[in-house]
Amino acid sequence: MSVLLKQVKVISPGSEYHNKVVDILIESGKITEIKKNISEKLTGKVIQGEQLLVSIGWFDLQTTSGEPGFEHKETLNSLIKSAASGGFTGIAVHSNNQPHFNHKSQIEYIISNTKNKVVDVYPLGTITIDEKGKELSEMYDLQQSGSCGFSDYKHAFKDAGALYRALQYANNINSLLMVHCNDETLSNGGMMNEGEVSTKLGLKGMPAFAEEINLERNLSILEETGGKLHINSISSKGSVDLIKKAKSKELNVTCGVSAFNLVLDDSSLLEFDSHFKLNPPLRTKKDIAALRSALESGIIDVVISDHCPHDVESKDLEFDLAEFGAVNLQTALPSVLEKYEEKDLSQLIEAITTNPRKVLQINIPKIEINEEANLTIFSQHASFSFDKKFNLSLSDNSPYLNKTFQSKVIGIINGTKNYFN
């Protein structure tokens, strides 16, 4: 089947078609024509609308699924459907389930159960056994089985020696560590950002310097060992300054920011809504401004959804008992796109397309004739309501439930497979 995209504006920095309005014809999964105007064929699907935009397929560097072990929260199929609806043609899956991705059989399970789907799925093996930060996993075996990198998800390294050894080992096999930064001796028991709002609410806070101290230590270890290190998500102005300094020293470090931390501040928790209970926590408007500036200047490399599904029993509790995290695959980019003018989209698009793939050292699609189609079509002038009917996750722990967005993902094309909202 063919798909014809009519009068779409290409947002793809580096492409000869960047910022041009064109027609794009996809036949048998390949881009066969790119012209100012292509006549509609008798068969096939035509996608058209006012002020449609197209980029190479979006990639989310941080998602989790319940499968295997917690299928009542999310299955791999529901994860893929949510990702496709959210505009992603590729996702990296961290271990936040049981059993953890410690063994090659878990990596092989993820790969075999997501093969030939509309969204490409890349599993990340754990750095340490059961993400406890002590004994290293069999990283080489995990890599040989298809792990594209290693992560202990939201479990920050307490043991500096363990991270030191892990970086050395990963460097030897030319792989990547992805780490969360949080000194739990400083943030232990914290429910939200430590500041005026937490004081007003009487909730124990998670100070920004808990993230920053742990980040500074990890960067110092990287400087000593060499290798590659990705910081999953930073949330404060101080962390931005540390990453900027590390990059000026030419350390091989990249970092991400959660879409939540780009658009929401800690005042969102004034009603004690546990759907806003996140890790890293929502911080201040000053931090949001610093994060956006860092994204636009390239200090921050990628934007992530930080999709973390939880069932009602995990979130509909007293605030201090509720789990951290929210679903966000279908709402991450609509929430961020609302904050951007069309003329300023280039850096954001790179942060969700080319940069995540560079981090994982995987193939980067191109919008060129004879290339396999890997595209996301979206609009900043179409609205949708994220309600329970639209939500494709098995969990509905979203701070955006019943919110209407003014930006919308129209659909994705990934080779011969496609999905349209």
Side-chain angles (χ1 to χ4, degrees):
M1 185 183 91
S2 65
V3 180
L4 176 60
L5 307 182
K6 291 290 294 180
Q7 295 302 284
V8 291
K9 183 176 181 179
V10 176
I11 309 294
S12 183
S15 167
E16 64 177 294
Y17 302 105
H18 180 51
N19 281 333
K20 294 181 179 179
V21 177
V22 296
D23 287 2
I24 301 176
L25 179 64
I26 298 100
E27 296 178 295
S28 301
K30 284 195 172 183
I31 300 173
T32 56
E33 288 186 72
I34 304 176
K35 294 180 179 177
K36 286 186 177 181
N37 184 58
I38 300 173
S39 299
E40 295 182 20
K41 304 213 172 181
L42 294 177
T43 60
K45 188 176 184 69
V46 178
I47 305 298
Q48 57 188 337
E50 291 187 14
Q51 297 176 290
L52 290 186
L53 305 172
V54 65
S55 69
I56 66 173
W58 299 348
F59 194 103
D60 191 349
L61 208 52
Q62 185 161 308
T63 71
T64 62
S65 171
E67 185 180 354
F70 299 132
E71 287 86 353
H72 59 290
K73 295 186 177 185
E74 193 84 285
T75 64
L76 291 169
N77 279 336
S78 64
L79 180 74
I80 287 170
K81 289 178 182 177
S82 298
S85 178
F88 298 99
T89 62
I91 56 174
V93 180
H94 297 240
S95 177
N96 188 35
N97 51 320
Q98 293 288 347
H100 292 291
F101 301 162
N102 299 324
H103 192 272
K104 65 180 185 179
S105 62
Q106 278 100 41
I107 299 298
E108 291 166 352
Y109 176 88
I110 300 297
I111 292 173
S112 65
N113 283 276
T114 58
K115 193 174 182 180
N116 297 321
K117 301 291 186 179
V118 66
V119 175
D120 301 318
V121 177
Y122 295 81
L124 294 161
T126 61
I127 303 172
T128 62
I129 299 297
D130 293 332
E131 300 180 342
K132 292 182 177 179
K134 296 179 181 179
E135 183 182 356
L136 296 185
S137 66
E138 295 291 341
M139 287 194 281
Y140 180 74
D141 284 349
L142 293 171
Q143 183 189 55
Q144 292 301 299
S145 299
S147 176
C148 58
F150 303 96
S151 167
D152 279 358
Y153 189 46
K154 297 293 179 74
H155 298 93
F157 272 85
K158 298 177 183 177
D159 187 336
L163 178 59
Y164 182 90
R165 293 188 295 274
L167 273 168
Q168 287 182 315
Y169 192 89
N171 195 22
N172 286 336
I173 61 173
N174 190 31
S175 193
L176 166 79
L177 296 191
M178 303 172 69
V179 299
H180 180 69
C181 294
N182 176 29
D183 188 323
E184 294 180 2
T185 64
L186 295 170
S187 64
N188 186 37
M191 299 289 107
M192 61 175 295
N193 178 56
E194 182 177 273
E196 292 181 12
V197 179
S198 65
T199 301
K200 181 177 181 179
L201 297 178
L203 292 174
K204 182 172 173 54
M206 302 170 71
F209 67 83
E211 174 180 300
E212 294 155 9
I213 286 175
N214 193 239
L215 172 59
E216 187 170 27
R217 185 206 67 176
N218 294 346
L219 292 172
S220 295
I221 294 172
L222 175 66
E223 187 172 13
E224 178 66 24
T225 62
K228 291 171 283 189
L229 185 66
H230 178 77
I231 309 303
N232 286 331
S233 182
I234 63 172
S235 65
S236 74
K237 182 182 182 302
S239 291
V240 167
D241 294 339
L242 289 168
I243 293 293
K244 182 178 180 180
K245 181 179 178 182
K247 288 190 171 186
S248 71
K249 295 165 73 172
E250 299 186 348
L251 296 186
N252 197 350
V253 62
T254 52
C255 77
V257 61
S258 167
F260 290 125
N261 291 105
L262 286 174
V263 298
L264 300 173
D265 64 79
D266 55 0
S267 66
S268 300
L269 288 100
L270 286 170
E271 300 300 321
F272 292 95
D273 186 343
S274 64
H275 292 121
F276 292 93
K277 185 179 178 181
L278 306 168
N279 184 14
L282 302 177
R283 300 207 187 271
T284 67
K285 290 181 173 63
K286 180 179 179 181
D287 291 307
I288 290 176
L291 293 169
R292 288 184 190 169
S293 177
L295 176 62
E296 290 159 13
S297 65
I299 295 169
I300 291 176
D301 301 274
V302 301
V303 175
I304 60 172
S305 75
D306 202 9
H307 178 81
C308 182
H310 285 301
D311 55 5
V312 173
E313 287 76 11
S314 301
K315 291 295 278 190
D316 191 13
L317 302 166
E318 293 180 19
F319 192 89
D320 59 339
L321 299 177
E323 295 280 358
F324 290 94
V327 295
N328 199 30
L329 273 168
Q330 291 176 267
T331 51
L333 269 300
S335 69
V336 176
L337 283 167
E338 291 185 340
K339 308 296 181 181
Y340 280 79
E341 298 289 335
E342 186 178 305
K343 61 183 176 62
D344 298 324
L345 283 180
S346 293
Q347 195 67 43
L348 173 62
I349 293 301
E350 288 205 318
I352 57 173
T353 57
T354 58
N355 290 354
R357 292 177 170 96
K358 286 179 182 177
V359 170
L360 293 183
Q361 301 180 84
I362 59 177
N363 180 61
I364 298 172
K366 297 177 182 178
I367 301 179
E368 292 181 5
I369 295 173
N370 294 325
E371 289 285 333
E372 183 170 287
N374 192 316
L375 306 169
T376 298
I377 306 100
F378 60 106
S379 173
Q380 290 182 291
H381 302 277
S383 64
F384 78 100
S385 178
F386 184 70
D387 53 24
K388 288 191 176 184
K389 184 178 180 180
F390 193 86
N391 178 29
L392 298 178
S393 172
L394 297 187
S395 298
D396 59 9
N397 57 310
S398 170
Y400 298 129
L401 204 61
N402 298 318
K403 173 180 169 58
T404 297
F405 291 91
Q406 302 307 315
S407 294
K408 181 181 180 180
V409 173
I410 307 303
I412 63 170
I413 301 171
N414 189 359
T416 58
K417 300 172 286 296
N418 56 62
Y419 180 96
F420 295 98
N421 282 314

